[in-house]
Amino acid sequence: MIEWRRHLHQHPELSFQESETSKFIAEHLGSFGLEVVTNVGGHGVIGILRSGRLGPVVMLRADIDALPIQDEKSVPYKSQVDGVMHACGHDGHTSALLATAGYMSEHIDEFIGEIRFLFQPAEELLPGGAVKVIASGALEEVDVIYGIHLWSPIPVGTYASTPGAMMAGADDFYIELKGKGGHGGVPQASIDSIVAGSALVLQMQSIVSRSVDPLQPAVLTIGTIQAGAAQNVIAETYKLSGTVRTFDEETRYIIKERIHTLTNQIAAAYGAEAEIKYLMGYPPVINDEKEAERFFKVVSDEFGAERSSVSPKMMPAEDFAYYLKEKPGCFMFVGAGNEQLDAVYPHHHPRFDFDETAMLDAMKLFIQITKNYLKEYDDRT
């Protein structure tokens, strides 16, 4: 796993561009004797392992893409691609799932049904590779799906997940207000886009506090503002952009509607015109209650109850959410932080790294949760 991970870390590929990574995965899956399906939703790969015995279809997922970040680590396996690095652990996810596929292929007598190993492209970039994977029909006949994320905020040797909402849905908006430019000393002859835009920014702060149920977590952040070029000129155009994070669909659409309404009404009040581009991103990650319970049971039984914790809700998004809208399943964090190895930097940081022994923990979790699911099925039938 370490050898695979370091190779991938040195040769990262951006979302929707993972052609060499895909070939690397397919070659290894083929060497394990699995049926290999390529070009799944782009550069995705699925390895199929059939036991020959009646049973359900279990899907295990890893993401394979890298980020447009310059690698600033001083390690032998530093990225060799300028401006691109695995800054989120996807190289580790890929290696752990490859190892899982290799193990299961050698111990097929321990399994029933069919196991599909999904290596998904483009998790980091909208609209997300999961959408295209689902559109390709990859989830047909799948009974349950599990995904892992190596997670540096929690220490290596630990695991975390939660029933229900776990990670937020993420939407982005881009707004342009068009007024009428003019001389700063003659405001009556102009329509000041900055005044209109400033009013909009302030009013947007009331959306979460006054339009959203206070028991539903939500964030509305305005990240950029662009307007004006000189101190004595009234700006004709005012641009702003931001992001919305929510955990349920009702809140998500309430905020979207309020942004549209406020933008149009405030623009009209100041005599400006409004143009809104609202991008619906990944939905919230909502784990199946039963499968989350299975996660905690497996960790307790196989690794020790003290090694698991309930993950708090968090605002980063994950396109694994799309699979959970289609099938029961669970998204699970595997601890990968280690101060002694300087694996302390947050995900998407130029010096991000993780304790590589976490990949073995991820592999064991994949194996044991699959066995537990199949055993329950076998006991029922």
Side-chain angles (χ1 to χ4, degrees):
M1 278 188 283
I2 291 174
E3 180 182 337
W4 295 336
R5 182 260 168 157
R6 294 188 176 188
H7 168 82
L8 293 170
H9 199 83
Q10 291 180 78
H11 303 92
E13 294 179 298
L14 293 172
S15 305
F16 301 107
Q17 301 176 30
E18 312 95 332
S19 58
E20 294 303 314
T21 302
S22 177
K23 292 177 184 176
F24 178 88
I25 294 165
E27 288 174 2
H28 282 82
L29 291 175
S31 72
F32 303 149
L34 274 64
E35 177 185 337
V36 181
V37 182
T38 58
N39 303 315
V40 179
H43 293 298
V45 182
I46 295 178
I48 301 175
L49 181 63
R50 295 186 176 90
S51 69
R53 292 182 290 163
L54 182 65
V57 178
V58 177
M59 178 169 274
L60 308 176
R61 175 267 204 175
D63 36 16
I64 68 175
D65 54 328
L67 285 156
I69 297 174
Q70 181 64 41
D71 194 347
E72 296 181 0
K73 296 190 301 300
S74 297
V75 294
Y77 51 88
K78 179 179 179 179
S79 172
Q80 297 179 9
V81 182
D82 189 46
V84 183
M85 74 171 287
H86 275 289
C88 202
H90 296 188
D91 50 342
H93 303 168
T94 299
S95 301
L97 189 57
L98 274 176
T100 304
Y103 175 90
M104 290 184 174
S105 67
E106 293 177 356
H107 298 82
I108 189 60
D109 57 312
E110 299 176 12
F111 302 92
I112 62 172
E114 179 180 310
I115 303 167
R116 298 180 186 176
F117 304 91
L118 167 61
F119 296 83
Q120 181 213 299
E123 187 278 327
E124 296 286 2
L125 190 63
L126 290 176
V131 174
K132 293 187 176 182
V133 168
I134 293 169
S136 75
L139 290 190
E140 291 177 5
E141 301 179 346
V142 169
D143 292 286
V144 69
I145 183 168
Y146 300 109
I148 57 97
H149 202 305
L150 300 181
W151 199 239
S152 64
I154 61 176
V156 67
T158 63
Y159 304 84
S161 189
T162 190
M166 180 174 171
M167 302 179 76
D171 304 320
D172 297 329
F173 58 88
Y174 303 84
I175 297 172
E176 182 173 324
L177 298 180
K178 295 180 180 178
K180 181 180 178 183
H183 195 289
V186 192
Q188 73 276 15
S190 304
I191 297 174
D192 195 331
S193 67
I194 290 181
V195 173
S198 299
L200 177 59
V201 169
L202 289 175
Q203 288 304 310
M204 278 186 171
Q205 305 311 305
S206 71
I207 293 177
V208 172
S209 66
R210 287 297 175 266
S211 297
V212 172
D213 182 341
L215 299 180
Q216 293 294 338
V219 170
L220 190 163
T221 292
I222 295 167
T224 70
I225 292 175
Q226 298 172 339
Q231 87 286 353
N232 61 346
V233 177
I234 291 175
E236 184 162 323
T237 302
Y238 181 103
K239 297 179 180 180
L240 66 88
S241 67
T243 188
V244 174
R245 304 296 167 109
T246 55
F247 287 95
D248 71 286
E249 291 296 290
E250 181 179 1
T251 301
R252 189 183 192 194
Y253 282 94
I254 286 173
I255 294 177
K256 178 184 178 183
E257 185 274 332
R258 290 298 295 149
I259 288 175
H260 276 83
T261 298
L262 281 175
T263 300
N264 289 321
Q265 290 181 348
I266 289 174
Y270 285 89
E273 296 178 357
E275 186 176 297
I276 307 168
K277 183 180 180 182
Y278 202 99
L279 301 179
M280 301 296 286
Y282 304 159
V285 172
I286 302 178
N287 284 327
D288 180 82
E289 299 276 342
K290 183 176 180 180
E291 295 310 321
E293 290 177 8
R294 187 186 311 280
F295 160 81
F296 286 105
K297 183 179 188 320
V298 166
V299 173
S300 177
D301 291 350
E302 303 296 335
F303 314 126
E306 73 282 357
R307 295 178 65 180
S308 70
S309 63
V310 177
S311 173
K313 291 180 179 179
M314 55 187 63
M315 291 301 174
E318 235 286 349
D319 77 347
F320 193 81
Y322 288 112
Y323 303 124
L324 294 174
K325 287 172 71 72
E326 301 290 330
K327 300 290 182 178
C330 189
F331 195 60
M332 307 165 290
F333 288 138
V334 176
N338 188 333
E339 291 185 6
Q340 294 180 344
L341 298 179
D342 204 29
V344 295
Y345 294 94
H347 294 253
H348 295 210
H349 189 282
R351 295 181 65 182
F352 172 81
D353 207 350
F354 60 83
D355 187 330
E356 290 174 317
T357 61
M359 294 187 292
L360 186 59
D361 294 335
M363 173 189 172
K364 290 177 179 178
L365 179 58
F366 269 144
I367 292 168
Q368 294 302 332
I369 202 164
T370 301
K371 283 185 173 181
N372 185 279
Y373 182 88
L374 296 177
K375 183 178 185 303
E376 181 182 284
Y377 174 92
D378 209 18
D379 290 344
R380 288 199 312 265
T381 55

